[in-house]
């Protein structure tokens, strides 16, 4: 119903594949639900860490098959951009900026739609490169106005 019930952070000392199914069942139980109560499953398709994505997608695929449920798959960058847009409604531009490997970042840049419109227009689709190259690319497409950015890859 568009309402976040809980955020669950797993124990990093335990592998994803070992803890994810139990964490999911426990989260549902805390809210008085079981797996058959879930009508739609969701997962991110990346970018992100290969093992985490693989385990998440495999878990959701297995549950979807066992429960005969539909699956919604979203881009991590699209979800981050949506979070930035929600957090900073006054910013005309929103971006996602995720840490990659070897000094690279994964990014995307979007323009907010017309007032009252929830949609974001993609200006720079999923891209990987250096922070400097990304900043130059963004400046070329969004030359003025605040850019709200979500993600863990912003240079310090």
């Amino acid at each position: 119903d568009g309402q976040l019930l809980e955020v669950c952070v797993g124990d990093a000392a335990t592998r994803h594949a070992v803890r994810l199914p139990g964490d999911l069942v426990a989260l549902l139980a805390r809210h008085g639900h079981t797996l058959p109560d879930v009508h739609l499953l969701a997962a991110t398709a990346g970018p992100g860490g290969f093992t985490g994505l693989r385990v998440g997608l495999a878990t959701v695929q297995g549950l979807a098959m066992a429960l005969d449920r539909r699956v919604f798959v979203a881009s991590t960058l699209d979800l981050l951009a949506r979070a930035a847009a929600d957090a900073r409604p006054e910013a005309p531009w929103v971006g996602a900026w995720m840490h990659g490997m070897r000094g690279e970042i994964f990014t995307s840049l979007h323009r907010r739609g017309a007032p009252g419109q929830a949609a974001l227009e993609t200006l720079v689709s999923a891209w990987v490169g250096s922070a400097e190259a990304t900043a130059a690319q963004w400046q070329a497409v969004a030359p003025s106005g605040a850019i709200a950015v979500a993600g863990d890859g912003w240079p310090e």
Side-chain angles (χ1 to χ4, degrees), residues 21-39:
D23 284 352
L24 179 57
V25 169
L27 182 137
L28 288 168
R30 285 193 295 275
H31 296 278
H33 295 286
T34 62
L35 284 170
D37 296 330
V38 176
H39 298 284

Side-chain angles (χ1 to χ4, degrees), residues 134-155:
T134 300
Q137 182 184 45
W138 283 18
Q139 189 173 22
V141 219
S144 63
I147 300 176
V149 180
D152 66 358
W154 195 258

Side-chain angles (χ1 to χ4, degrees), residues 3-14:
Q3 180 181 358
L4 177 64
L5 297 177
E6 181 178 344
V7 174
C8 178
V9 178
D11 177 8
T14 306

Side-chain angles (χ1 to χ4, degrees), residues 4-5 9 13 19 25 35 48 60 69-70 79 84 99 109 121 125 130 146-147 152:
L4 177 64
L5 297 177
V9 178
R19 70 178 154 91
V25 169
L35 284 170
V60 166
R69 299 294 191 265
R70 293 180 307 127
L79 295 174
H99 175 70
L109 180 66
E121 177 188 355
S125 55
S130 70
I147 300 176
D152 66 358

Side-chain angles (χ1 to χ4, degrees), residues 50-109:
F50 175 74
T51 301
L53 290 170
R54 182 176 50 91
V55 169
L57 289 167
T59 300
V60 166
Q61 181 183 22
L63 290 171
M65 291 175 68
L67 299 169
D68 191 27
R69 299 294 191 265
R70 293 180 307 127
V71 175
F72 170 77
V73 179
S75 155
T76 308
L77 293 172
D78 288 348
L79 295 174
L80 284 170
R82 174 74 349 216
D86 291 347
R88 298 289 306 274
E90 74 285 359
W93 317 95
V94 294
W97 193 284
M98 288 178 61
H99 175 70
M101 302 301 289
R102 300 176 300 276
E104 295 179 321
I105 52 171
F106 297 105
T107 66
S108 65
L109 180 66

